[in-house]
Amino acid sequence: MMKRTKIIDVLKSTEYGKEVCVKGWVRTHRSSKAVDFIALNDGSTINNVQIVVDPTKFNEETLKQITTGACISAEGILVESQGAGQSSEIQATSLEVYGLCGNDYPMQKKGQSFEVMRKNAHMRLRTNTFGAVMRIRHNMAMAIHTYFHEHGFFYFHTPLITASDCEGAGNMFQVTTKNLYDLKKDEQGKIIYDDDFFGEQTSLTVSGQLEGELGATALGAIYTFGPTFRAENSNTPRHLAEFWMVEPEVAFLDQEELMDLEEDFIKYCVRWALDNCKDDLEFLNKMIDKTLIERLQGVLKETFVRLPYTEGINILQEAIKNGKKFEFPCNWGDDLASEHERYLVEEHFKKPVIMTDYPRAFKSFYMKQNEASPSPSEGGEPGSIGYKGAVAPGPTMQGTDVLFPQIGEIIGGSVREESYDKLMGEINRREMDQTHLWWYIDTRRWGSCPHAGFGLGFERLILFVTGMQNIRDVIPFPRTPKSAEF
């Protein structure tokens, strides 16, 4: 049997006259008395190879079986294409049908809505759009690992099962081996976990950050890259219950250096996509978002604005005075909504923004608190701490969130509080349960160091790089409220 050649390699080849074997799934089959044309794709590229078939040399029943979605093997002679759109094609000498595909195949040539394709997530991966998205997703994973490896970071594996809640929000999926129909409870009606597998209440992690900080205080610079889980009942185009996070943690990094890392890292990923995903990006630019490539190139050209939260609020309130309407309020102390973030990025600055120095009230306990609020000056430009009017009326923390066009927040980062006394003060102020944080607190008792890090939602990066509009369409099998199929 002849060895198979991937279609991506066939299309690059100029060895005309050579016999080749390709295998894949039929995109289209056009028939006539004189000649048949089969467009075949094997997932290695967005582009199809054209199989030219002389119908007089093949069994009529075999040709009838070659319908959209069918899986076939084709052997033939590689020739220079006579038609437009491709450089090479194959003149078939042998055809074999591996898998039939009837008229009820849900991914027929006619276009389906993304909603229909989500209901057929087991088949949507075979479409051009989702093939392109998944190849880009792979390339972004490769970019992430390559970037951190080249910059001296160590890939650090943090647990998926945990007894602590990093975010403190309580939106966690419990992990248990207990019989849910016969739960042992104490006198107050609380579940007793001493007979559970781990002997205590455990959940799927919402973040590997806390454990990642331990790695950074030993190895200097680490990153995690793995699945995380949030039982947040949010049916929006930006939320998943299971998603992937990239979380670097670095010892001896201050706020300015953290922002430098965030900007450099994300530009590296965008540059990788432009350099390595040309065909897929051109397809998505044509079919999904005609400004996609221009927007990606724009990210590389721009220096990200570094904007204190207080100044951002001033800009938003000035926009409201000038007639801009927002659905949600944006007074100092409010957690900004996506509409606010996108206004700053897309309308006001027209470039990515790193927002800094958020109010303590809605940020996590582990963030480093600023000693004093920025003071106004008579001069200064928007984007600088000295910008007139940028006075924080309350305590702020050294957060560094990267805001992107069409996405809003794509990175959430901060300098971490290294002082034992200050960290304990924040934990006590929030009346947090310390039962499962003792080991984290120990890092501030023994050899604490300044450090910082961020979390990148991998699917949000894929949304930006592909131009897709719904986060459920950039992960192979989305997990959302009331949906855990496939």
Side-chain angles (χ1 to χ4, degrees):
M1 181 179 290
M2 189 183 303
K3 186 178 179 181
R4 173 202 170 207
T5 302
K6 288 186 177 181
I7 289 172
I8 190 172
D9 296 322
V10 166
L11 294 175
K12 292 176 182 176
S13 177
T14 56
E15 294 185 73
Y16 303 126
K18 179 182 177 181
E19 193 170 7
V20 295
C21 172
V22 291
K23 300 181 181 185
W25 294 268
V26 175
R27 288 287 193 257
T28 60
H29 181 185
R30 292 179 288 132
S31 300
S32 70
K33 289 183 179 180
V35 65
D36 283 19
F37 296 103
I38 300 168
L40 196 68
N41 189 283
D42 64 1
S44 63
T45 171
I46 189 72
N47 300 308
N48 307 321
V49 67
Q50 182 165 271
I51 315 294
V52 183
V53 180
D54 180 349
T56 64
K57 296 180 179 179
F58 290 89
N59 184 287
E60 185 178 349
E61 285 304 311
T62 299
L63 293 179
K64 284 183 179 179
Q65 292 176 343
I66 300 175
T67 58
T68 296
C71 182
I72 69 168
S73 171
E75 295 179 5
I77 307 301
L78 183 67
V79 298
E80 195 167 1
S81 179
Q82 300 304 306
Q86 66 273 330
S87 59
S88 305
E89 61 188 23
I90 297 171
Q91 291 182 343
T93 57
S94 172
L95 295 171
E96 181 180 356
V97 179
Y98 288 148
L100 299 174
C101 206
N103 293 329
D104 55 348
Y105 176 54
M107 299 294 118
Q108 294 291 344
K109 185 183 175 183
K110 62 180 179 62
Q112 286 83 17
S113 69
F114 285 118
E115 190 61 40
V116 168
M117 285 195 275
R118 283 177 212 128
K119 293 176 182 176
N120 292 281
H122 58 313
M123 289 289 115
R124 70 177 183 170
L125 298 173
R126 297 186 192 178
T127 65
N128 285 333
T129 298
F130 284 91
V133 169
M134 293 306 138
R135 282 186 293 272
I136 291 172
R137 185 182 172 100
H138 157 79
N139 269 281
M140 288 299 90
M142 292 301 297
I144 287 162
H145 284 300
T146 304
Y147 178 87
F148 287 122
H149 179 68
E150 290 179 349
H151 287 77
F153 286 67
F154 297 102
Y155 186 25
F156 191 71
H157 298 127
T158 54
L160 295 185
I161 299 173
T162 180
S164 63
D165 179 1
C166 174
E167 300 298 326
N171 299 322
M172 303 180 77
F173 292 103
Q174 286 196 43
V175 176
T176 182
T177 57
K178 292 175 71 67
N179 181 354
L180 299 182
Y181 297 99
D182 186 23
L183 294 172
K184 186 166 68 171
K185 299 182 180 180
D186 62 18
E187 293 178 356
Q188 285 75 43
K190 293 183 178 179
I191 297 171
I192 298 171
Y193 286 93
D194 57 8
D195 63 338
D196 205 353
F197 186 89
F198 293 105
E200 59 183 331
Q201 184 177 350
T202 54
S203 304
L204 294 176
T205 186
V206 299
S207 168
Q209 180 202 312
L210 301 189
E211 294 88 351
E213 288 187 49
L214 274 64
T217 59
L219 300 171
I222 64 93
Y223 71 104
T224 75
F225 186 6
T228 51
F229 310 85
R230 296 195 184 174
E232 185 179 354
N233 192 20
S234 297
N235 257 316
T236 79
R238 295 289 180 269
H239 288 86
L240 290 166
E242 175 187 291
F243 55 100
W244 286 64
M245 285 276 282
V246 180
E247 297 177 294
E249 288 290 330
V250 190
F252 316 116
L253 204 70
D254 64 21
Q255 189 177 30
E256 282 297 318
E257 292 167 328
L258 176 60
M259 289 189 282
D260 290 342
L261 175 65
E262 291 170 337
E263 182 169 348
D264 189 56
F265 166 69
I266 207 158
K267 283 183 173 179
Y268 182 95
C269 292
V270 171
R271 190 178 298 110
W272 184 288
L274 288 167
D275 290 345
N276 295 278
C277 307
K278 182 175 180 289
D279 289 345
D280 288 321
L281 286 176
E282 286 178 351
F283 172 82
L284 294 170
N285 193 85
K286 177 182 177 183
M287 302 301 293
I288 302 297
D289 183 346
K290 290 180 170 47
T291 65
L292 174 61
I293 292 176
E294 180 185 355
R295 194 164 62 250
L296 294 176
Q297 291 170 338
V299 166
L300 300 182
K301 297 173 185 174
E302 300 289 0
T303 299
F304 295 3
V305 174
R306 300 186 178 188
L307 177 74
Y309 166 91
T310 302
E311 181 186 324
I313 289 293
N314 291 343
I315 292 170
L316 291 167
Q317 290 180 342
E318 189 66 27
I320 291 171
K321 288 179 187 176
N322 292 328
K324 179 69 179 178
K325 296 190 183 301
F326 294 113
E327 181 181 354
F328 297 101
C330 57
N331 299 308
W332 199 97
D334 290 333
D335 193 358
L336 296 186
S338 181
E339 61 176 343
H340 305 134
E341 295 169 342
R342 291 185 62 178
Y343 172 81
L344 292 169
V345 172
E346 296 171 15
E347 297 185 47
H348 187 81
F349 290 108
K350 295 182 172 60
K351 62 175 72 174
V353 169
I354 305 179
M355 184 165 277
T356 67
D357 305 308
Y358 288 87
R360 179 175 67 182
F362 61 79
K363 285 300 182 180
S364 298
F365 74 96
Y366 50 73
M367 291 189 181
K368 187 177 183 67
Q369 187 170 316
N370 284 309
E371 294 297 328
S373 301
S375 298
S377 66
E378 291 306 315
E381 294 293 331
S384 63
I385 285 181
Y387 175 63
K388 187 174 182 180
V391 182
T396 61
M397 288 178 151
Q398 291 186 23
T400 58
D401 294 356
V402 180
L403 313 180
F404 255 37
Q406 297 202 330
I407 301 295
E409 182 187 327
I410 194 169
I411 282 178
S414 75
V415 179
R416 319 309 190 189
E417 180 54 69
E418 77 271 17
S419 164
Y420 172 84
D421 290 337
K422 290 179 180 179
L423 181 68
M424 288 305 301
E426 193 64 23
I427 288 173
N428 292 329
R429 191 186 71 80
R430 299 181 187 222
E431 300 180 341
M432 294 174 62
D433 183 0
Q434 300 175 33
T435 305
H436 298 296
L437 284 175
W438 64 269
W439 52 270
Y440 182 73
I441 294 168
D442 272 356
T443 62
R444 272 60 172 183
R445 295 177 60 209
W446 297 319
S448 182
C449 70
H451 61 289
F454 66 79
L456 166 79
F458 186 52
E459 280 72 29
R460 291 197 176 187
L461 173 64
I462 308 304
L463 270 181
F464 179 75
V465 173
T466 61
M468 300 292 281
Q469 299 301 304
N470 194 310
I471 203 164
R472 302 174 195 204
D473 298 330
V474 296
I475 191 169
F477 308 106
R479 297 289 179 258
T480 55
K482 302 294 187 291
S483 177
E485 289 186 288
F486 315 111

